[in-house]
Amino acid sequence: MSFQAPKGVSEYVPPRSALFEEAREAFNESARRACYAPVETAVFEDTSLFVRGVGESSDVVRKEMYSFETRGGDQVTLRPEFTAGVLRAVLEHNLHRGALPVKVFTSGAAFRYEQPQAGRYRQFYQFDLEAIGTEDPAVDAETIAVAYDAYRSLGLTQFTLLLNSLGDSNCRPVYRAALQDFLRKLDLDEETRQRIEINPLRVLDDKRPEVREQTADAPYIVDYLCEACKTHYDTVRALLTSMNIPYQDAPRLVRGLDYYTRTTYEFDHALLGAQSGIGGGGRYDGLSEDIGGPPLPGIGFAVGLDRIVLAIESERGAAAAPAATGCQVFGVALGEDAHTDVLTFITALRRAGVAADMAFGSRGLKGAMKAADRSGARFAVIIGAEERKSGTVSIKDLENGEQQDVAATSATDWLLSKLRRAGEEAE
Ligand code: AMP
């Protein structure tokens, strides 16, 4: 019997896993540069956290959660998103009583019971960043800049930032009522009619042409924003312009989770087809209170690392494939006796900061040299009886085939300087 991963699970194995790691690291790095701190939070939470946080009317809560009862009788859910759990952790650990805003980031698997397709999975990976405790529009712009710079550092250019404001508890109810009035007059199916009552903004997000056509003249939230929300939105836009971050006003943009207020944004990639959203975020000024905390404004985003890998592949083409291991030096032992010397030698190299591997098991020279070639290493270090006797190692440059003997005591330094020079030439 052989097992397969459950349907819709996204997995990464070499060599593609290096691309995944590159994507995640680009976001980690961008977040660290803006002085966000890493957090690791629960993969499963009390189901009611998501029901109250993400919102009962969202598709995520209504149809997509992996919820179950534990052996102890608790109702828990695998996180379908990060924000509710991260905010719960910030409150639980009292971070909001210290310096504000609390700026944190994390990444990992999220779970939604969706219909799997290209770019849409049931277990997928997000990088998530949150700034909690300020209404300052500058922090809205900062979160966008952190994401934008991370995409750009990965070489991505074929994406668009879509921007909208969803108003606040002042102006949104007025807009909501106006939108409901408009939608109720349309010729829509039963499920959509229900949605008008529970979450009318989501109807604007319906991708079906027959719905699109009818909602073309729907009222837009921008025309209903109160003075405070309007000023906030204008400030965010001016800040983006001053940071050289291009955006498009997207008056129809709403998001799948119920907690968003004011600034809302999405990054859309041009080459990904139907699942083109590579990230999105926004403000959630009421969320803390929704989950039983004090009034505490916040903003953040989550990006889909799976889709970013797809975006990198589509933009870089064949050049996307990374080296399998990043291995720089590969050790080859000629004969059993030399095994210890090779392992000792490459351990010293590793301690000096070089990525080194060796041929394990007893293969002949030919097999071992083939493994050296496959490893992607620049140099092979060969040690046999002769080298052991003369206190040397034999070093082969796998790029040009040149081979030479170097005293064992100075071989590490020799390799270090060669690798440094090769690195400088590559730049
Ligand atoms: P959301 O949490 O729904 O705002 O989604 C944020 C980002 O996560 C999206 O822009 C996608 O890139 C990614 N994402 C959401 N759902 C999925 C999924 N089922 N499979 C893969 N990526 C997803």
Side-chain angles (χ1 to χ4, degrees):
M1 185 172 85
S2 75
F3 288 106
Q4 291 188 328
K7 190 176 164 194
V9 168
S10 150
E11 290 185 314
Y12 296 87
V13 296
R16 204 164 172 252
S17 50
L19 220 50
F20 178 86
E21 205 43 43
E22 185 186 343
R24 171 154 57 191
E25 192 44 36
F27 279 85
N28 287 344
E29 178 60 22
S30 188
R32 281 193 294 259
R33 256 189 249 137
C35 305
Y36 285 72
V39 291
E40 295 294 336
T41 60
V43 173
F44 60 89
E45 300 269 3
D46 283 350
T47 296
S48 53
L49 173 74
F50 297 119
V51 174
R52 287 168 62 183
V54 177
E56 248 159 318
S57 67
S58 66
D59 281 354
V60 169
V61 168
R62 280 154 48 96
K63 303 184 202 154
E64 297 172 359
M65 295 211 298
Y66 278 89
S67 301
F68 57 98
E69 186 175 306
T70 66
R71 288 167 197 273
D74 296 327
Q75 301 297 329
V76 299
T77 294
L78 302 182
R79 61 183 173 206
E81 58 100 50
F82 280 76
T83 306
V86 169
L87 181 56
R88 192 267 312 136
V90 164
L91 295 172
E92 183 172 339
H93 296 280
N94 280 317
L95 300 185
H96 61 299
R97 295 190 203 281
L100 295 179
V102 178
K103 304 209 303 184
V104 292
F105 69 92
T106 189
S107 63
F111 307 84
R112 294 181 195 173
Y113 196 80
E114 311 210 52
Q115 217 32 60
Q117 51 186 286
R120 182 170 292 281
Y121 315 103
R122 290 178 173 172
Q123 177 179 322
F124 57 101
Y125 293 90
Q126 287 190 334
F127 169 92
D128 179 84
L129 173 143
E130 312 287 349
I132 295 162
T134 178
E135 285 196 355
D136 188 343
V139 84
D140 302 40
E142 174 180 278
T143 63
I144 293 173
V146 168
Y148 179 84
D149 287 353
Y151 292 127
R152 293 304 305 259
S153 78
L154 289 165
L156 297 178
T157 57
Q158 305 284 307
F159 66 90
T160 310
L161 165 60
L162 304 171
L163 190 69
N164 197 12
S165 171
L166 292 181
D168 63 7
S169 54
N170 248 329
C171 49
R172 180 131 102 222
V174 185
Y175 170 66
R176 192 174 187 272
L179 181 62
Q180 280 176 324
D181 275 352
F182 174 89
L183 295 173
R184 285 189 192 118
K185 292 182 197 128
L186 304 181
D187 177 24
L188 298 165
D189 60 277
E190 191 45 39
E191 198 185 333
T192 313
R193 298 198 77 81
Q194 279 174 21
R195 186 167 286 159
I196 297 173
E197 303 313 318
I198 48 179
N199 196 345
L201 272 68
R202 286 295 284 172
V203 181
L204 293 183
D205 204 27
D206 203 312
K207 304 278 189 291
R208 290 173 298 176
E210 64 274 21
V211 179
R212 285 255 131 163
E213 226 165 82
Q214 294 194 67
T215 56
D217 297 326
Y220 286 157
I221 178 89
V222 275
D223 299 320
Y224 287 78
L225 294 180
C226 61
E227 247 349 273
C229 285
K230 197 171 170 317
T231 308
H232 189 97
Y233 190 40
D234 288 344
T235 311
V236 172
R237 293 196 292 185
L239 289 166
L240 291 177
T241 303
S242 77
M243 289 187 293
N244 268 328
I245 297 178
Y247 65 87
Q248 268 177 27
D249 286 311
R252 296 177 73 102
L253 178 69
V254 297
R255 313 221 51 244
L257 317 175
D258 283 358
Y259 49 63
Y260 286 109
T261 54
R262 290 196 167 172
T263 312
T264 309
Y265 54 91
E266 226 163 76
F267 290 93
D268 219 56
H269 197 271
L271 308 178
L272 289 192
Q275 307 305 320
S276 59
I278 51 171
R283 261 197 181 274
Y284 44 83
D285 290 345
L287 180 59
S288 172
E289 286 157 280
D290 288 346
I291 64 168
L296 201 60
I299 178 154
F301 68 75
V303 303
L305 292 171
D306 311 279
R307 293 191 194 164
I308 294 170
V309 169
L310 294 171
I312 295 172
E313 287 169 333
S314 68
E315 286 205 42
R316 283 191 205 162
T325 57
C327 186
Q328 296 170 288
V329 175
F330 196 89
V332 171
L334 294 181
E336 285 292 311
D337 294 346
H339 249 83
T340 313
D341 301 68
V342 170
L343 184 57
T344 311
F345 184 77
I346 63 168
T347 301
L349 272 178
R350 290 168 179 169
R351 287 175 180 158
V354 175
D357 198 0
M358 68 178 279
F360 290 104
S362 45
R363 295 180 244 203
L365 177 63
K366 215 167 141 210
M369 289 311 290
K370 210 167 168 184
D373 277 329
R374 255 197 221 135
S375 75
R378 171 71 190 265
F379 296 101
V381 173
I382 303 147
I383 305 178
E386 233 164 79
E387 284 81 8
R388 279 156 54 88
K389 211 185 307 157
S390 60
T392 59
V393 303
S394 179
I395 300 180
K396 183 173 182 185
D397 184 330
L398 295 171
E399 212 168 88
N400 59 20
E402 280 171 22
Q403 191 161 341
Q404 67 188 100
D405 292 339
V406 177
T409 46
S410 56
T412 297
D413 286 338
W414 189 94
L415 281 164
L416 278 173
S417 90
K418 286 277 186 190
L419 286 166
R420 200 174 308 127
R421 210 168 311 146
E424 283 163 9
E425 275 165 23
E427 277 177 23

